[in-house]
Amino acid sequence: MRRICAVKPAVPFSVSTTLLRRLAYANIVANVAIVVTGGAVRLTASGLGCPTWPRCTDESYTTTPEMGVHGVIEFGNRLLTFVLVLIAGATLLAALLHRPRRRGVVLLALSVVLGIVAQAVIGGITVRTQLHPSIVGIHFVVSMLLLLATYALWRRVDEPDGPTAPVVPSPLRALTWLTVAASAAVIVVGVAVTGSGPHAGDADAVRNGLDPQAISQVHADLVFLLIGLTAGLWLALRAVGAPGRAVRAAGVLLVVELAQGVVGFVQYVTDLPAILVGAHMLGSCLVWLATLAVLWSTRERRPAGPMPTVAPAAAPPPVPARV
């Protein structure tokens, strides 16, 4: 007799959790890098090195020798966008190939891809509007939202798929959210400070018309508020015996804020040298990421429990037969 062998179905290619985690982390690094390089474009007055978009000139998608170093700097920053798209696309593909496929991870990876595409469009609008400070500010704020998405993706890879639950008392959870709000306000007002200062990205770019000293004072006041909230949060977490990761995260945030404050003060009294402004932009990313780390450390995502089983309804008693 001929033996008939059953053909086993092909096992789909699966991506390991380690690779997915590394790709998610690469998204964070790449998005911080493009903020720093975008700052270099602005601080070297290369914002209009490629004076149009999506082309670099009306005839060429790439920079030309006549455009000099400013064209090279601006075009280099545009090329970095393609690197971000590749990393984000690879992460989305890895999330789709990971087994078991996790809907939350896939959606976060997709949001990063869409966010980078949106940033490219906003960058084009920035060039088309001759570096209008409002559009430049939106460009930076969206970068912070992208950092939020990439950080959430990185943390979600190692989290279970159940609901989240706080690991600190509710008053401290509220204080954490207040600290997050203050951190976001510092960043937004810092954007307004930059829009009133000398680093416009091009000699002919307009400014937002705000008084630099007045808006800088508002920014400084918010920084003091943020440092005070963070210090209070760190002390409160220690006092209630919060998990070590929460205490450490608040301590790291406080140190990063103090370092950022020093850089900001020195750049202000030294008339905003470009190198310190660039360091301050990097510091903004680090403060925001450290803030998100505190937020994530005060809650945990628990494993998804099995669906509760419903006991079958008892059968009705038999009806006696009539005689």
Side-chain angles (χ1 to χ4, degrees), residues 233-260:
L233 178 61
W234 178 64
L235 292 172
L237 290 171
R238 287 171 56 90
V240 301
R245 67 178 185 275
V247 177
R248 287 191 298 272
V252 169
L253 174 59
L254 183 59
V255 170
V256 174
E257 288 169 353
L258 291 173
Q260 175 76 333

PDB file of all heavy atoms in Angstrom, residues 233-260:
ATOM      1  N   LEU A 233       6.789  65.393  44.256  1.00  0.00           N
ATOM      2  CA  LEU A 233       6.389  64.042  43.873  1.00  0.00           C
ATOM      3  C   LEU A 233       7.422  63.022  44.322  1.00  0.00           C
ATOM      4  O   LEU A 233       7.072  61.953  44.841  1.00  0.00           O
ATOM      5  CB  LEU A 233       6.193  63.969  42.350  1.00  0.00           C
ATOM      6  CG  LEU A 233       5.806  62.613  41.773  1.00  0.00           C
ATOM      7  CD1 LEU A 233       4.476  62.134  42.332  1.00  0.00           C
ATOM      8  CD2 LEU A 233       5.750  62.670  40.250  1.00  0.00           C
ATOM      9  N   TRP A 234       8.696  63.337  44.130  1.00  0.00           N
ATOM     10  CA  TRP A 234       9.766  62.415  44.534  1.00  0.00           C
ATOM     11  C   TRP A 234       9.730  62.172  46.041  1.00  0.00           C
ATOM     12  O   TRP A 234       9.815  61.022  46.498  1.00  0.00           O
ATOM     13  CB  TRP A 234      11.109  62.996  44.124  1.00  0.00           C
ATOM     14  CG  TRP A 234      12.289  62.172  44.533  1.00  0.00           C
ATOM     15  CD1 TRP A 234      12.610  60.909  44.108  1.00  0.00           C
ATOM     16  CD2 TRP A 234      13.297  62.540  45.481  1.00  0.00           C
ATOM     17  NE1 TRP A 234      13.762  60.465  44.721  1.00  0.00           N
ATOM     18  CE2 TRP A 234      14.205  61.449  45.561  1.00  0.00           C
ATOM     19  CE3 TRP A 234      13.538  63.673  46.238  1.00  0.00           C
ATOM     20  CZ2 TRP A 234      15.324  61.476  46.396  1.00  0.00           C
ATOM     21  CZ3 TRP A 234      14.659  63.715  47.067  1.00  0.00           C
ATOM     22  CH2 TRP A 234      15.530  62.627  47.143  1.00  0.00           C
ATOM     23  N   LEU A 235       9.578  63.245  46.823  1.00  0.00           N
ATOM     24  CA  LEU A 235       9.525  63.096  48.277  1.00  0.00           C
ATOM     25  C   LEU A 235       8.287  62.315  48.699  1.00  0.00           C
ATOM     26  O   LEU A 235       8.341  61.468  49.599  1.00  0.00           O
ATOM     27  CB  LEU A 235       9.540  64.474  48.945  1.00  0.00           C
ATOM     28  CG  LEU A 235      10.844  65.267  48.819  1.00  0.00           C
ATOM     29  CD1 LEU A 235      10.657  66.679  49.359  1.00  0.00           C
ATOM     30  CD2 LEU A 235      11.979  64.553  49.538  1.00  0.00           C
ATOM     31  N   ALA A 236       7.151  62.586  48.060  1.00  0.00           N
ATOM     32  CA  ALA A 236       5.915  61.895  48.422  1.00  0.00           C
ATOM     33  C   ALA A 236       5.992  60.407  48.080  1.00  0.00           C
ATOM     34  O   ALA A 236       5.518  59.562  48.852  1.00  0.00           O
ATOM     35  CB  ALA A 236       4.735  62.548  47.707  1.00  0.00           C
ATOM     36  N   LEU A 237       6.564  60.085  46.954  1.00  0.00           N
ATOM     37  CA  LEU A 237       6.716  58.674  46.578  1.00  0.00           C
ATOM     38  C   LEU A 237       7.600  57.934  47.583  1.00  0.00           C
ATOM     39  O   LEU A 237       7.316  56.782  47.938  1.00  0.00           O
ATOM     40  CB  LEU A 237       7.295  58.571  45.170  1.00  0.00           C
ATOM     41  CG  LEU A 237       6.374  58.987  44.013  1.00  0.00           C
ATOM     42  CD1 LEU A 237       7.147  59.053  42.710  1.00  0.00           C
ATOM     43  CD2 LEU A 237       5.191  58.034  43.887  1.00  0.00           C
ATOM     44  N   ARG A 238       8.649  58.584  48.036  1.00  0.00           N
ATOM     45  CA  ARG A 238       9.501  57.968  49.052  1.00  0.00           C
ATOM     46  C   ARG A 238       8.749  57.806  50.368  1.00  0.00           C
ATOM     47  O   ARG A 238       8.892  56.784  51.066  1.00  0.00           O
ATOM     48  CB  ARG A 238      10.759  58.817  49.271  1.00  0.00           C
ATOM     49  CG  ARG A 238      11.762  58.747  48.130  1.00  0.00           C
ATOM     50  CD  ARG A 238      12.874  59.776  48.317  1.00  0.00           C
ATOM     51  NE  ARG A 238      13.546  59.614  49.595  1.00  0.00           N
ATOM     52  CZ  ARG A 238      14.614  58.851  49.803  1.00  0.00           C
ATOM     53  NH1 ARG A 238      15.120  58.163  48.779  1.00  0.00           N
ATOM     54  NH2 ARG A 238      15.168  58.768  50.990  1.00  0.00           N
ATOM     55  N   ALA A 239       7.932  58.797  50.716  1.00  0.00           N
ATOM     56  CA  ALA A 239       7.249  58.771  52.003  1.00  0.00           C
ATOM     57  C   ALA A 239       6.225  57.651  52.091  1.00  0.00           C
ATOM     58  O   ALA A 239       6.040  57.058  53.169  1.00  0.00           O
ATOM     59  CB  ALA A 239       6.577  60.122  52.260  1.00  0.00           C
ATOM     60  N   VAL A 240       5.550  57.345  50.989  1.00  0.00           N
ATOM     61  CA  VAL A 240       4.492  56.325  51.029  1.00  0.00           C
ATOM     62  C   VAL A 240       5.032  54.936  50.681  1.00  0.00           C
ATOM     63  O   VAL A 240       4.246  53.980  50.629  1.00  0.00           O
ATOM     64  CB  VAL A 240       3.341  56.686  50.064  1.00  0.00           C
ATOM     65  CG1 VAL A 240       2.742  58.035  50.424  1.00  0.00           C
ATOM     66  CG2 VAL A 240       3.806  56.669  48.615  1.00  0.00           C
ATOM     67  N   GLY A 241       6.324  54.823  50.459  1.00  0.00           N
ATOM     68  CA  GLY A 241       6.883  53.518  50.110  1.00  0.00           C
ATOM     69  C   GLY A 241       6.448  53.031  48.747  1.00  0.00           C
ATOM     70  O   GLY A 241       6.150  51.840  48.570  1.00  0.00           O
ATOM     71  N   ALA A 242       6.413  53.941  47.775  1.00  0.00           N
ATOM     72  CA  ALA A 242       6.019  53.573  46.406  1.00  0.00           C
ATOM     73  C   ALA A 242       7.047  52.622  45.812  1.00  0.00           C
ATOM     74  O   ALA A 242       8.183  52.516  46.309  1.00  0.00           O
ATOM     75  CB  ALA A 242       5.907  54.837  45.546  1.00  0.00           C
ATOM     76  N   PRO A 243       6.670  51.896  44.767  1.00  0.00           N
ATOM     77  CA  PRO A 243       7.641  50.997  44.123  1.00  0.00           C
ATOM     78  C   PRO A 243       8.931  51.731  43.754  1.00  0.00           C
ATOM     79  O   PRO A 243       8.926  52.911  43.387  1.00  0.00           O
ATOM     80  CB  PRO A 243       6.889  50.525  42.871  1.00  0.00           C
ATOM     81  CG  PRO A 243       5.443  50.629  43.243  1.00  0.00           C
ATOM     82  CD  PRO A 243       5.346  51.817  44.129  1.00  0.00           C
ATOM     83  N   GLY A 244      10.040  51.002  43.850  1.00  0.00           N
ATOM     84  CA  GLY A 244      11.340  51.605  43.602  1.00  0.00           C
ATOM     85  C   GLY A 244      11.460  52.237  42.235  1.00  0.00           C
ATOM     86  O   GLY A 244      12.107  53.278  42.077  1.00  0.00           O
ATOM     87  N   ARG A 245      10.824  51.631  41.233  1.00  0.00           N
ATOM     88  CA  ARG A 245      10.927  52.183  39.882  1.00  0.00           C
ATOM     89  C   ARG A 245      10.290  53.566  39.789  1.00  0.00           C
ATOM     90  O   ARG A 245      10.752  54.431  39.038  1.00  0.00           O
ATOM     91  CB  ARG A 245      10.296  51.231  38.865  1.00  0.00           C
ATOM     92  CG  ARG A 245       8.796  51.069  38.968  1.00  0.00           C
ATOM     93  CD  ARG A 245       8.262  50.145  37.895  1.00  0.00           C
ATOM     94  NE  ARG A 245       6.806  50.061  37.886  1.00  0.00           N
ATOM     95  CZ  ARG A 245       6.092  49.249  38.642  1.00  0.00           C
ATOM     96  NH1 ARG A 245       6.715  48.434  39.490  1.00  0.00           N
ATOM     97  NH2 ARG A 245       4.770  49.230  38.555  1.00  0.00           N
ATOM     98  N   ALA A 246       9.223  53.797  40.566  1.00  0.00           N
ATOM     99  CA  ALA A 246       8.575  55.107  40.552  1.00  0.00           C
ATOM    100  C   ALA A 246       9.452  56.152  41.230  1.00  0.00           C
ATOM    101  O   ALA A 246       9.590  57.284  40.734  1.00  0.00           O
ATOM    102  CB  ALA A 246       7.207  55.024  41.235  1.00  0.00           C
ATOM    103  N   VAL A 247      10.053  55.792  42.354  1.00  0.00           N
ATOM    104  CA  VAL A 247      10.942  56.724  43.063  1.00  0.00           C
ATOM    105  C   VAL A 247      12.147  57.065  42.187  1.00  0.00           C
ATOM    106  O   VAL A 247      12.543  58.236  42.074  1.00  0.00           O
ATOM    107  CB  VAL A 247      11.388  56.120  44.402  1.00  0.00           C
ATOM    108  CG1 VAL A 247      12.372  57.053  45.098  1.00  0.00           C
ATOM    109  CG2 VAL A 247      10.187  55.842  45.299  1.00  0.00           C
ATOM    110  N   ARG A 248      12.725  56.055  41.549  1.00  0.00           N
ATOM    111  CA  ARG A 248      13.891  56.301  40.693  1.00  0.00           C
ATOM    112  C   ARG A 248      13.520  57.178  39.501  1.00  0.00           C
ATOM    113  O   ARG A 248      14.270  58.085  39.127  1.00  0.00           O
ATOM    114  CB  ARG A 248      14.471  54.972  40.206  1.00  0.00           C
ATOM    115  CG  ARG A 248      15.206  54.191  41.275  1.00  0.00           C
ATOM    116  CD  ARG A 248      15.973  53.031  40.666  1.00  0.00           C
ATOM    117  NE  ARG A 248      15.081  52.077  40.010  1.00  0.00           N
ATOM    118  CZ  ARG A 248      14.504  51.053  40.643  1.00  0.00           C
ATOM    119  NH1 ARG A 248      14.717  50.857  41.940  1.00  0.00           N
ATOM    120  NH2 ARG A 248      13.714  50.214  39.999  1.00  0.00           N
ATOM    121  N   ALA A 249      12.362  56.912  38.897  1.00  0.00           N
ATOM    122  CA  ALA A 249      11.951  57.695  37.731  1.00  0.00           C
ATOM    123  C   ALA A 249      11.762  59.165  38.105  1.00  0.00           C
ATOM    124  O   ALA A 249      12.183  60.069  37.358  1.00  0.00           O
ATOM    125  CB  ALA A 249      10.664  57.124  37.137  1.00  0.00           C
ATOM    126  N   ALA A 250      11.151  59.427  39.249  1.00  0.00           N
ATOM    127  CA  ALA A 250      10.969  60.814  39.687  1.00  0.00           C
ATOM    128  C   ALA A 250      12.311  61.463  39.995  1.00  0.00           C
ATOM    129  O   ALA A 250      12.523  62.654  39.694  1.00  0.00           O
ATOM    130  CB  ALA A 250      10.051  60.857  40.909  1.00  0.00           C
ATOM    131  N   GLY A 251      13.237  60.706  40.578  1.00  0.00           N
ATOM    132  CA  GLY A 251      14.570  61.246  40.858  1.00  0.00           C
ATOM    133  C   GLY A 251      15.325  61.590  39.588  1.00  0.00           C
ATOM    134  O   GLY A 251      15.982  62.638  39.505  1.00  0.00           O
ATOM    135  N   VAL A 252      15.224  60.710  38.594  1.00  0.00           N
ATOM    136  CA  VAL A 252      15.891  60.973  37.307  1.00  0.00           C
ATOM    137  C   VAL A 252      15.295  62.211  36.655  1.00  0.00           C
ATOM    138  O   VAL A 252      16.014  63.068  36.120  1.00  0.00           O
ATOM    139  CB  VAL A 252      15.775  59.744  36.385  1.00  0.00           C
ATOM    140  CG1 VAL A 252      16.222  60.102  34.958  1.00  0.00           C
ATOM    141  CG2 VAL A 252      16.611  58.591  36.918  1.00  0.00           C
ATOM    142  N   LEU A 253      13.971  62.337  36.685  1.00  0.00           N
ATOM    143  CA  LEU A 253      13.324  63.503  36.093  1.00  0.00           C
ATOM    144  C   LEU A 253      13.808  64.786  36.769  1.00  0.00           C
ATOM    145  O   LEU A 253      14.093  65.786  36.090  1.00  0.00           O
ATOM    146  CB  LEU A 253      11.805  63.382  36.210  1.00  0.00           C
ATOM    147  CG  LEU A 253      11.002  64.601  35.756  1.00  0.00           C
ATOM    148  CD1 LEU A 253      11.283  64.939  34.298  1.00  0.00           C
ATOM    149  CD2 LEU A 253       9.506  64.375  35.988  1.00  0.00           C
ATOM    150  N   LEU A 254      13.931  64.767  38.083  1.00  0.00           N
ATOM    151  CA  LEU A 254      14.383  65.957  38.806  1.00  0.00           C
ATOM    152  C   LEU A 254      15.799  66.344  38.390  1.00  0.00           C
ATOM    153  O   LEU A 254      16.089  67.530  38.161  1.00  0.00           O
ATOM    154  CB  LEU A 254      14.313  65.703  40.309  1.00  0.00           C
ATOM    155  CG  LEU A 254      14.684  66.873  41.223  1.00  0.00           C
ATOM    156  CD1 LEU A 254      13.786  68.065  40.961  1.00  0.00           C
ATOM    157  CD2 LEU A 254      14.604  66.439  42.694  1.00  0.00           C
ATOM    158  N   VAL A 255      16.684  65.361  38.254  1.00  0.00           N
ATOM    159  CA  VAL A 255      18.065  65.639  37.847  1.00  0.00           C
ATOM    160  C   VAL A 255      18.102  66.210  36.431  1.00  0.00           C
ATOM    161  O   VAL A 255      18.819  67.182  36.152  1.00  0.00           O
ATOM    162  CB  VAL A 255      18.919  64.366  37.948  1.00  0.00           C
ATOM    163  CG1 VAL A 255      20.291  64.571  37.309  1.00  0.00           C
ATOM    164  CG2 VAL A 255      19.081  63.944  39.407  1.00  0.00           C
ATOM    165  N   VAL A 256      17.322  65.613  35.519  1.00  0.00           N
ATOM    166  CA  VAL A 256      17.296  66.090  34.133  1.00  0.00           C
ATOM    167  C   VAL A 256      16.745  67.512  34.071  1.00  0.00           C
ATOM    168  O   VAL A 256      17.260  68.363  33.323  1.00  0.00           O
ATOM    169  CB  VAL A 256      16.463  65.137  33.259  1.00  0.00           C
ATOM    170  CG1 VAL A 256      16.304  65.698  31.849  1.00  0.00           C
ATOM    171  CG2 VAL A 256      17.124  63.764  33.197  1.00  0.00           C
ATOM    172  N   GLU A 257      15.718  67.793  34.853  1.00  0.00           N
ATOM    173  CA  GLU A 257      15.154  69.141  34.868  1.00  0.00           C
ATOM    174  C   GLU A 257      16.166  70.166  35.367  1.00  0.00           C
ATOM    175  O   GLU A 257      16.285  71.270  34.808  1.00  0.00           O
ATOM    176  CB  GLU A 257      13.915  69.178  35.763  1.00  0.00           C
ATOM    177  CG  GLU A 257      12.705  68.476  35.176  1.00  0.00           C
ATOM    178  CD  GLU A 257      11.599  68.308  36.185  1.00  0.00           C
ATOM    179  OE1 GLU A 257      11.821  68.624  37.378  1.00  0.00           O
ATOM    180  OE2 GLU A 257      10.508  67.851  35.801  1.00  0.00           O
ATOM    181  N   LEU A 258      16.897  69.824  36.428  1.00  0.00           N
ATOM    182  CA  LEU A 258      17.891  70.749  36.965  1.00  0.00           C
ATOM    183  C   LEU A 258      18.992  71.011  35.939  1.00  0.00           C
ATOM    184  O   LEU A 258      19.426  72.163  35.754  1.00  0.00           O
ATOM    185  CB  LEU A 258      18.473  70.194  38.262  1.00  0.00           C
ATOM    186  CG  LEU A 258      17.507  70.153  39.456  1.00  0.00           C
ATOM    187  CD1 LEU A 258      18.142  69.426  40.629  1.00  0.00           C
ATOM    188  CD2 LEU A 258      17.089  71.564  39.866  1.00  0.00           C
ATOM    189  N   ALA A 259      19.442  69.965  35.256  1.00  0.00           N
ATOM    190  CA  ALA A 259      20.468  70.140  34.226  1.00  0.00           C
ATOM    191  C   ALA A 259      19.951  71.004  33.086  1.00  0.00           C
ATOM    192  O   ALA A 259      20.648  71.900  32.583  1.00  0.00           O
ATOM    193  CB  ALA A 259      20.911  68.780  33.700  1.00  0.00           C
ATOM    194  N   GLN A 260      18.708  70.761  32.683  1.00  0.00           N
ATOM    195  CA  GLN A 260      18.099  71.559  31.614  1.00  0.00           C
ATOM    196  C   GLN A 260      17.938  73.012  32.049  1.00  0.00           C
ATOM    197  O   GLN A 260      18.143  73.948  31.249  1.00  0.00           O
ATOM    198  CB  GLN A 260      16.746  70.949  31.237  1.00  0.00           C
ATOM    199  CG  GLN A 260      15.951  71.741  30.228  1.00  0.00           C
ATOM    200  CD  GLN A 260      16.462  71.614  28.807  1.00  0.00           C
ATOM    201  OE1 GLN A 260      17.637  71.362  28.588  1.00  0.00           O
ATOM    202  NE2 GLN A 260      15.583  71.793  27.843  1.00  0.00           N
TER     203      GLN A 260
END
